[in-house]
Amino acid sequence: MTDTVVFPQDRTCPYQPAPGYPPLAEQRPLAQVALYDGRRVWAVTSRDLTRRLLADRRISSDRTNPEWPMMFPSIAAAVSDAQQKVMKIVTALVGVDGPVHQARRKMLIPNFTIRRINALRPMIQEIVDQQLARMIDNGAPADLIPAFAAPVPVTVLYRLMGIPDADHRSFERLSHQLAAGPNANEAYDELMAYMSGLIAEKRRNPGDGVLDDLLTKPGATGDVEHEELVSTLVLQVAGGHGTTGTMISLGLFTLLQHPEQLAELRADLSLMPTAVDELLRFVSIPDGVTRLATDDIEVEGTTIRKGDGVFFITSVINRDADVHDAPNSLGLRSSSARDHVTFGFGAHQCLGQSLARVTMEIALGTLLQRLPDLRLAVAAAEVPFNPTAGFEVITELPVTW
């Protein structure tokens, strides 16, 4: 155990773990860290133990539990009505356990299978082509995030879910206000009203999106109540694209800082599927996955007690030397590239991971193919980034070509 490592810590490089985390890697598979208030919690640092514990029913995702560990004082403080509303949406799927979670997840699983997502490749390619054409027409230099990385996954997800094209901008605006803005209350009410109205319309006139399938196929929504259905769908549509956009921008930035690997990928785009997973592993956007022990758990000669907070520190786990031959290097041909936990594991593993992978493959592959001279328009040290609530985010990515 260690008395010195505080969690979470800011990174000093967008694709490297925080510099204070090496002691955690040395203590695999389990360490103790201190939160902002001094509370000691467990830090899981090995891939194998992570998979074991995330599949254990005694490891809970229930954020309504009063013992739930908070990473930041701003989250632990008395929350506003708007923040409570946001939390209600967030917990609609990822913050519940057991039969409730299973019912909501079961409702969505058929719509995110690898087969269905692969069938969307032509549509995703069309969206990528259109967005890239706009960026090129507007001329260099450009900020890749608003010009390409952010709008591509937004449009892909909205089309998949069945949000009418005419509503994309207003829905995105409300989603942003809900997450961060003084009008979060109003945004919540508008989003819920919009989704309720869209559900009613699609029941009358169904199309071919995920929402349409859920609302028209007998038994598709199971025993999920109307309010639960609305909250779950708002979560999927409003929150299911941000990390993909971040990975497109962070993935490109990382490749630009590794010119040999970038040249290798440009020369052989068939490496892209492995490269995407290696970038997901190497960058590790989420710094940690939070859970709570609901019973004593004996692991590796140690007891995680009931009520203990448990953090799965992704940026350390994804560089487990027992799994990866060169854990701190970017290897686009790595046979262990997919052995990461960036999408979680077990019952709460990310439903949209196949969509994220395919979107990244097509977006990054098209960028590298169509813009062979794509490069940063500023020095790498001038690219601004910040960790936001445990997620690594580049805020601007100036590029030229």
Side-chain angles (χ1 to χ4, degrees):
M1 297 183 184
T2 179
D3 298 327
T4 58
V5 177
V6 175
F7 180 80
Q9 297 179 20
D10 290 345
R11 303 188 192 191
T12 56
C13 171
Y15 52 81
Q16 298 287 5
Y21 287 174
L24 298 177
E26 294 168 5
Q27 295 182 67
R28 260 183 212 101
L30 200 63
Q32 272 198 330
V33 295
L35 300 182
Y36 71 94
D37 58 358
R39 178 179 177 179
R40 297 289 188 85
V41 295
W42 293 103
V44 182
T45 56
S46 86
R47 195 283 310 269
D48 289 348
L49 184 57
T50 293
R51 290 184 171 184
R52 202 165 95 211
L53 288 176
L54 285 178
D56 193 313
R57 293 183 179 181
R58 295 169 293 179
I59 293 292
S60 171
S61 187
D62 182 5
R63 287 154 174 77
T64 65
N65 191 310
E67 294 183 303
W68 184 260
M70 301 293 185
M71 282 198 293
F72 303 99
S74 59
I75 299 176
V79 295
S80 65
D81 290 343
Q83 288 169 317
Q84 289 178 351
K85 289 178 176 180
V86 172
M87 186 59 67
K88 185 177 182 179
I89 288 179
V90 170
T91 58
L93 186 63
V94 299
V96 291
D97 297 319
V100 174
H101 171 258
Q102 291 169 10
R104 296 174 185 177
R105 188 177 176 91
K106 183 179 179 181
M107 174 182 70
L108 294 167
I109 282 175
N111 300 288
F112 289 91
T113 62
I114 295 175
R115 182 177 181 179
R116 176 157 190 169
I117 299 307
N118 277 330
L120 298 176
R121 284 179 179 270
M123 180 197 77
I124 297 172
Q125 185 68 64
E126 180 183 4
I127 291 169
V128 167
D129 291 343
Q130 290 173 348
Q131 198 63 46
L132 183 56
R134 291 191 194 100
M135 186 178 85
I136 293 172
D137 287 345
N138 289 331
D143 182 348
L144 189 84
I145 295 173
F148 183 80
V152 163
V154 169
T155 307
V156 168
L157 182 63
Y158 288 4
R159 292 258 180 95
L160 169 63
M161 296 299 290
I163 302 294
D165 285 1
D167 297 343
H168 286 190
R169 287 189 177 181
S170 60
F171 198 96
E172 177 67 6
R173 174 182 56 81
L174 292 171
S175 299
H176 179 74
Q177 290 178 359
L178 183 68
N183 301 317
N185 260 318
E186 293 83 351
Y188 172 88
D189 293 338
E190 285 189 54
L191 275 173
M192 296 297 280
Y194 172 83
M195 189 59 75
S196 292
L198 185 63
I199 286 172
E201 173 59 27
K202 286 183 175 295
R203 280 182 168 143
R204 291 191 297 267
N205 301 297
D208 57 1
V210 168
L211 299 182
D212 307 270
D213 288 351
L214 286 173
L215 298 169
T216 57
K217 288 184 178 178
T221 58
D223 297 325
V224 177
E225 299 292 335
H226 176 75
E227 186 176 4
E228 294 179 28
L229 174 65
V230 174
S231 293
T232 302
L233 294 179
V234 168
L235 170 64
Q236 285 300 113
V237 181
H241 54 77
T243 50
T244 305
T246 298
M247 266 308 307
I248 292 171
S249 57
L250 261 174
L252 179 64
F253 176 81
T254 303
L255 287 170
L256 291 171
Q257 301 312 298
H258 293 78
E260 291 184 6
Q261 288 85 344
L262 177 58
E264 183 181 13
L265 187 56
R266 284 189 190 279
D268 184 3
L269 288 177
S270 70
L271 295 174
M272 188 58 74
T274 302
V276 163
D277 266 303
E278 178 67 354
L279 286 167
L280 286 162
R281 178 197 74 82
F282 191 70
V283 173
S284 297
I285 289 180
D287 257 340
V289 175
T290 309
R291 293 291 186 267
L292 181 73
T294 58
D295 205 345
D296 290 356
I297 305 173
E298 298 289 336
V299 290
E300 306 293 335
T302 302
T303 302
I304 299 175
R305 299 290 182 189
K306 178 181 179 180
D308 282 353
V310 184
F311 285 83
F312 300 86
I313 303 186
T314 314
S315 60
V316 177
I317 296 164
N318 283 348
R319 299 190 180 209
D320 189 336
D322 293 336
V323 177
H324 307 282
D325 291 336
N328 296 309
S329 298
L330 182 68
L332 304 186
R333 297 178 184 271
S334 170
S335 61
S336 62
R338 200 149 183 165
D339 288 329
H340 60 76
V341 292
T342 299
F343 292 118
F345 190 77
H348 288 85
Q349 192 169 26
C350 176
L351 267 174
Q353 61 179 290
S354 294
L355 181 63
R357 282 187 171 100
V358 170
T359 303
M360 284 181 64
E361 284 178 29
I362 295 174
L364 289 172
T366 304
L367 277 174
L368 298 184
Q369 186 176 39
R370 305 278 174 83
L371 298 176
D373 295 322
L374 184 65
R375 60 194 185 277
L376 292 180
V378 299
E382 295 178 23
V383 174
F385 72 95
N386 66 285
T388 303
F391 280 77
E392 196 67 16
V393 178
I394 283 182
T395 55
E396 296 175 22
L397 188 58
V399 295
T400 190
W401 53 89

